[in-house]
Amino acid sequence: MADRKIKKSDDLKRAGNPWVLFVGVFCVIGGVLVARHCYPEPRVMQQSQRQYWRRVDVKPTRGIIQDTRGNALVISDTLPSFAVDPSMMTSEDVNKLFDYTDAETFMKLQQAAGGNSRFLWIRRKVAGTEAEKLNSLRKDVNGLFLIEEQYRKYTNQGLMSHVLGFCDLDNKGIAGIEQAWDSTLYSPPGQKTVVRKQGSQPAALVEQNPDTHTKTPIITLTLDTRIQYVVEKHLYNAAKTNGAKWAACVCMNPNTGEILAMASYPTFDASNRKGLDIEALSNGVVSRGYEPGSTFKPIYLGIALERGWTERDEIFYCPAKLKVADGFIKESYPVAFGSINTAQLLIKSSNVGMAQIGIRADKTKTFESLQALGFGRISDIELPAVARGILPYPENWRGITPANIAIGQGLAVTPLQLITAMAPIVNGGKLMSPYIVKEAINSSGELVYKGQPEIMREVLTPDTASWIRQAMHRVVLEGTGKRAATKITELAGKTGTAQVPEKGKYSASKYVASFIGFWPYESPQYLMLVVIGEPTSGRIYGGELAAPPFKSIVEEMAELEYYS
């Protein structure tokens, strides 16, 4: 018996301890599990990631646009957007979204449900009750999830709308400053991870990894929100009251070229552009060409005096109309001025007198002088869609054309071009480059642009500029611009009334009324142009349509300075 026990013990020793075998098997299985879970094959890893999570690009944030005083005009905020993972959805889930999708999206969703497609937008950037309803559906609809997306918030609604512009659904600038400075305002995008939870619960966003070192870009404009508000209020009121098709106003510091206000009518709200007339999106100050009429006369007279085509004390005989080549030049008011001097050509706004200078002027030199002032050329202001206007080549100045040019007809200018060319008269002869961006800082915090005064060229002698300023002062005191006069400050200016060309001839019923002026007269700090296009109220003259709102703007701006 004892021998058998000893023999059995020897057999166990020879066979080995059973625990050793168990530990060995456990180690092998454990090693396999660790290898499979911690170091899976790339093919398995890729398949798993496709099944359980998906990275979604978060649209890039955009920088701030602010006025010259640092008041934010455009900022980025968030709105909820809703998307689905079609592979997680049943036909019942799809039907629950019927009221929240358009026909095309719903059809795509029906086709993709239960398939291999992993992502489809349902609604983007929604707010209010619609967002609340969609969000409440997430617990009942498999695969429906929410993504917070950036959108552009215009803090003053429609104020400065044409200057600021707007973005598309993906926050890409497509008009105004938003377009012109798109690359600077842009910040690199981040990503969010969409995870499919256990039990096919609605997908969720669990991670966001934007570049935390990116700074907010800032574009600072030269515009002053307070002045802009005053300009828009009076311009839009004048346009609506007189049934105008369009209107524009631009205010500049004539000594620097800095734009202080820029407004265009009709206007729009960048936050709500549904059903908007495409014409309302155009910034008339930089993109609309029109015949300037008599507001062009001071500029032309400056050229004529510098070129020696007239003298300051010349006397002109001015009948009610003058035969010129194949046509007639008529006074705006059907009256003969008789014998008047050079200054009175501006004070009384005589077409016949100015036409006499145009006839004797050298066409090529006139063209060169006008081109040197920026007419027929694209301004380098920091905005998109800037028009070049129309300045015919001198070989096309046939018949009555030279006389028409002298009175501001036969060419097309933009309001920006006209005010830029008027600035040398105000500042003593220097043509300044207009600018509307004060500075630009990119997403790295670097100053990439700084707007500053730039003299393009000297176009008038200080003596000639001073003489024309005096004549423009008399326009307001005793001439066609009396309705612009105010007790608050002395100002000078020029009225303009131009017929609208239509089908090769001038319309008998369509006009453009305008007034351009500067103040204070002795040391001008402001130069402003008001244009009322194609009014239907029955009034057509610049002195009665454009001068009154000009006056109102000047007076309210004076109040701003008093209280600032």
Side-chain angles (χ1 to χ4, degrees), residues 198-516:
Q198 185 178 8
S200 296
Q201 293 298 312
L205 301 174
V206 299
E207 178 187 348
Q208 185 173 18
N209 59 335
D211 184 354
T212 57
H213 301 291
T214 298
K215 297 183 179 180
T216 302
I218 301 176
I219 304 294
T220 304
L221 305 182
T222 61
L223 302 183
D224 187 321
T225 300
R226 303 172 310 161
I227 298 175
Q228 182 76 20
Y229 172 78
V230 171
V231 165
E232 289 192 15
K233 179 175 70 172
H234 292 290
L235 179 71
Y236 298 164
N237 180 62
K240 292 174 183 176
T241 300
N242 292 284
K245 179 180 178 181
W246 64 275
C249 180
V250 54
C251 184
M252 167 192 282
N253 182 334
N255 306 301
T256 63
E258 188 178 19
I259 303 297
L260 306 177
M262 180 181 288
S264 183
Y265 175 87
T267 188
F268 66 94
D269 182 353
S271 301
N272 182 16
R273 303 191 303 277
K274 291 181 179 179
L276 192 64
D277 186 347
I278 192 68
E279 188 172 344
L281 301 177
S282 175
N283 183 348
V285 173
V286 300
S287 62
R288 181 180 286 276
Y290 73 105
E291 295 199 357
S294 296
T295 53
F296 188 74
K297 288 174 180 174
I299 296 168
Y300 191 94
L301 188 56
I303 295 172
L305 288 168
E306 294 284 279
R307 293 284 192 176
W309 297 329
T310 187
E311 302 293 335
R312 299 179 191 177
D313 56 358
E314 183 175 353
I315 301 298
F316 297 84
Y317 176 70
C318 300
K321 65 179 181 179
L322 179 70
K323 182 74 167 72
V324 178
D326 54 344
F328 287 91
I329 297 293
K330 301 177 182 179
E331 299 292 10
S332 295
Y333 298 93
V335 60
F337 292 125
S339 296
I340 58 176
N341 62 31
T342 310
Q344 289 175 314
L345 297 183
L346 296 184
I347 298 167
K348 296 180 180 293
S349 197
S350 174
N351 291 336
V352 170
M354 289 297 301
Q356 293 175 48
I357 299 175
I359 293 169
R360 71 178 71 151
D362 182 279
K363 293 184 287 187
T364 300
K365 292 180 179 179
T366 302
F367 174 84
E368 291 172 352
S369 294
L370 292 175
Q371 203 172 49
L373 284 165
F375 296 111
R377 292 182 171 179
I378 296 177
S379 168
D380 59 357
I381 193 168
E382 313 94 327
L383 286 170
V386 178
R388 110 179 20 254
I390 300 173
L391 179 62
Y393 288 107
E395 53 266 29
N396 296 321
W397 292 19
R398 304 183 184 93
I400 200 173
T401 301
N404 276 337
I405 296 290
I407 64 173
Q409 293 191 322
L411 76 165
V413 307
T414 66
L416 180 66
Q417 287 177 330
L418 186 69
I419 200 171
T420 300
M422 188 66 73
I425 293 173
V426 183
N427 66 31
K430 301 180 291 292
L431 183 69
M432 307 301 299
S433 177
Y435 65 101
I436 200 168
V437 174
K438 193 173 184 178
E439 65 177 29
I441 298 173
N442 67 11
S443 60
S444 298
E446 301 169 332
L447 180 67
V448 294
Y449 177 83
K450 187 172 182 63
Q452 53 192 357
E454 178 186 348
I455 301 174
M456 291 190 282
R457 60 189 70 88
E458 300 274 351
V459 294
L460 291 175
T461 62
D463 192 42
T464 297
S466 176
W467 186 87
I468 297 176
R469 285 199 303 274
Q470 293 174 31
M472 293 178 70
H473 188 210
R474 292 177 63 189
V475 169
V476 176
L477 293 178
E478 59 189 86
T480 58
K482 289 180 181 179
R483 295 188 184 185
T486 173
K487 295 179 180 179
I488 288 180
T489 184
E490 279 195 278
L491 56 83
K494 183 69 189 76
T495 57
T497 307
Q499 290 176 284
V500 175
E502 192 173 52
K503 298 179 180 179
K505 60 182 180 179
Y506 286 104
S507 170
S509 60
K510 295 181 180 179
Y511 294 85
V512 175
S514 54
F515 185 89
I516 189 167

Side-chain angles (χ1 to χ4, degrees), residues 36 217 276 539 557:
R36 290 288 185 269
L276 192 64
R539 297 185 295 173
M557 282 178 60

